[in-house]
């Protein structure tokens, strides 16, 4: 992995700034949603004429991103309009973290009943009640720091979520401070023997456990890909599963799956060869949604679509469509972007973000 100084130098050289987003996808702020000890914002996308009892997807952005920026890049609201579900975006505020990272490494923000964890839970409960959604079909996903926070939510509130998808994230409960967070991001210091116990100890809940999908690029230089295997191990232990019962290639990518006693795909893992740090999207084909960029990498596979399909809220095979969402770029250009700009995704400036927050000494 590149050193902190190298990461900062690349960040400055490419002039990356936090995206301001916009309202392209119709995210609407929710001013009231209950207790908010984590001081987060809530934004929602509820499709017009959404049916009663529709599913809810909670999406957690990465560092330097806003909810609108991540929504535009990942295409979650586009998919929600297409297949009929609501999307909730908790959003970090600069008062909590100047570079908008969720504080997945701060114990006060990652325990059940407190901090950012409790704020997100309150948002979910309010959204379900206010929009009359299906409480048994609530899902959560996130990128990088948002992926690590997805691990937090699945561990601390497994009774709320039917499933979760962790993109370039980290397992739950392995860091309690900045120095530990940086070591775990580099793939160092993990204790496999305690991983599953940390999830079980996070609440009194004893199942059935959420399904978990793990997405990670093998060339991720910010959150080392060993973290993907750690997340899988953490949840294999929770589910009581051994070796994968499916190991194949999906669109040329390594895909493994573990089914539980009820034949549910309890755990899925996608290892994307050569991909750096970011959310895998597809810019062509029937599954295409989202827009490529430094934070969103065209991998020829849409993690957004595949995640939704694995949860049963989108068809297993996407209906035929003709439009491309790759505005202003060709697929070849986008593929080059996935290789050359991958090191500059939001998670890869976490070191810089923590320094900006005053949590790392110069």
């Amino acid at each position: 992995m590149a050193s902190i100084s190298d990461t900062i130098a690349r960040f400055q050289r490419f002039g990356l700034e936090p995206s301001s987003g916009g309202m392209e996808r119709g995210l609407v702020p929710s001013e009231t949603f209950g207790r908010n000890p984590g001081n987060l914002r809530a934004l929602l996308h509820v499709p017009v004429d959404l049916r009663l009892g529709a599913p809810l997807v909670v999406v957690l952005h990465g560092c330097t991103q806003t909810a609108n920026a991540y929504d535009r890049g990942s295409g979650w609201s586009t998919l929600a309009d297409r297949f009929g579900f609501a999307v909730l975006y908790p959003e970090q505020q600069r008062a909590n973290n100047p570079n908008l990272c969720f504080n997945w490494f701060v114990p006060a923000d990652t325990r059940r009943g407190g901090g950012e964890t409790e704020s997100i839970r309150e948002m979910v409960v309010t959204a379900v009640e206010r929009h009359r959604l299906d409480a048994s079909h609530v899902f959560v996903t996130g990128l990088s720091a948002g992926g690590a926070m997805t691990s937090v939510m699945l561990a601390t509130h497994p009774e709320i979520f039917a499933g979760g998808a962790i993109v370039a994230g980290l397992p739950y409960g392995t860091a309690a401070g900045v120095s530990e967070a940086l070591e775990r991001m580099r793939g160092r210091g993990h204790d496999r023997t305690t991983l599953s116990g940390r999830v079980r100890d996070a609440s009194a809940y004893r199942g059935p456990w959420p399904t978990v999908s793990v997405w990670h690029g093998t060339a991720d230089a910010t959150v080392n890909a060993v973290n993907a295997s750690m997340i899988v191990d953490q949840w294999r232990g929770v589910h009581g599963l051994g070796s994968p019962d499916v190991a194949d290639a999906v669109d040329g990518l390594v895909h493994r799956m573990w089914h539980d006693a009820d034949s549910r795909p309890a755990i899925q893992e996608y290892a994307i060869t050569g991909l750096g740090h970011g959310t895998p999207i597809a810019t062509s084909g029937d599954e295409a949604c989202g827009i490529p960029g430094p934070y969103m990498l065209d991998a020829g596979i849409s993690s957004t679509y595949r995640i939704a399909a694995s949860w049963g809220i989108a068809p297993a095979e996407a209906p035929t469509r003709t439009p491309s969402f790759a505005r202003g770029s060709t697929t070849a250009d986008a593929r080059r972007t996935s290789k050359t700009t991958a090191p500059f995704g939001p998670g890869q400036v976490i070191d810089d973000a923590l320094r900006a927050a005053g949590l790392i000494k110069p």
Side-chain angles (χ1 to χ4, degrees):
M1 173 177 173
S3 67
I4 293 174
S5 59
D6 287 343
T7 299
I8 295 171
R10 287 198 301 268
F11 179 76
Q12 294 172 336
R13 183 167 67 251
F14 279 77
L16 295 179
E17 296 293 338
S19 298
S20 60
M23 299 300 288
E24 296 91 340
R25 295 298 180 193
L27 298 185
V28 177
S30 176
E31 301 300 333
T32 58
F33 54 82
R35 295 179 61 239
N36 188 15
N39 191 34
L40 302 178
R41 296 183 70 224
L43 295 95
L44 281 162
H45 178 77
V46 180
V48 176
D49 297 328
L50 184 68
R51 64 180 174 82
L52 297 181
L56 173 66
V57 176
V58 182
V59 184
L60 302 169
H61 61 79
C63 291
T64 79
Q65 293 178 315
T66 63
N68 277 291
Y70 190 75
D71 187 56
R72 181 173 181 270
S74 63
W76 272 108
S77 288
T78 299
L79 216 61
D81 287 336
R82 193 175 174 194
F83 298 114
F85 56 86
V87 186
L88 165 66
Y89 275 91
E91 185 177 71
Q92 185 59 281
Q93 301 201 81
R94 295 192 188 281
N96 303 330
N97 188 298
N99 276 48
L100 303 178
C101 308
F102 287 103
N103 290 311
W104 60 272
F105 50 86
V106 177
D109 283 310
T110 59
R111 61 177 175 82
R112 185 180 174 98
E116 294 176 9
T117 300
E118 178 63 10
S119 292
I120 295 171
R121 188 200 71 83
E122 290 276 343
M123 293 178 196
V124 171
V125 171
T126 300
V128 168
E129 292 178 350
R130 187 172 293 168
H131 297 282
R132 302 171 72 180
L133 305 173
D134 185 350
S136 69
H137 284 78
V138 178
F139 306 92
V140 61
T141 184
L143 164 68
S144 192
M149 203 66 187
T150 296
S151 289
V152 170
M153 297 309 300
L154 290 171
T156 57
H157 288 287
E159 77 283 3
I160 290 179
F161 300 104
I166 301 161
V167 184
L170 297 97
Y172 170 72
T174 59
V178 175
S179 61
E180 288 186 357
L182 294 174
E183 283 295 285
R184 304 304 177 265
M185 288 166 60
R186 293 170 175 134
R188 303 171 186 165
H190 285 291
D191 182 356
R192 290 181 185 268
T193 65
T194 63
L195 286 171
S196 299
R198 293 177 186 274
V199 172
R200 294 193 189 96
D201 292 344
S203 74
Y205 186 76
R206 289 299 175 262
W209 297 97
T211 63
V212 177
S213 178
V214 181
W215 293 73
H216 217 113
T218 63
D220 191 327
T222 294
V223 179
N224 190 284
V226 72
N227 284 284
S229 68
M230 294 296 171
I231 297 168
V232 169
D233 281 357
Q234 185 167 66
W235 285 95
R236 276 199 312 111
V238 171
H239 282 282
L241 301 173
S243 300
D245 44 29
V246 174
D248 55 16
V250 174
D251 293 345
L253 309 174
V254 177
H255 172 236
R256 300 194 297 168
M257 187 181 300
W258 291 255
H259 288 84
D260 62 16
D262 296 323
S263 298
R264 292 189 311 160
I267 303 171
Q268 293 193 68
E269 179 186 21
Y270 289 81
I272 305 173
T273 303
L275 195 75
H277 189 75
T279 294
I281 66 170
T283 58
S284 62
D286 295 334
E287 296 182 2
C289 59
I291 298 175
Y295 302 166
M296 301 293 159
L297 312 179
D298 185 0
I301 183 171
S302 171
S303 60
T304 302
Y305 189 93
R306 296 295 177 97
I307 289 166
S310 74
W311 293 335
I313 62 175
E317 293 187 10
T320 301
R321 59 180 301 160
T322 54
S324 171
F325 287 85
R327 308 300 187 199
S329 65
T330 66
T331 299
D333 290 337
R335 290 188 183 280
R336 285 194 292 272
T337 297
S338 73
K339 304 300 181 184
T340 60
T341 66
F344 316 114
Q348 290 176 287
V349 295
I350 288 179
D351 290 359
D352 190 50
L354 295 177
R355 177 174 284 102
L359 298 177
I360 300 178
K361 293 181 180 179

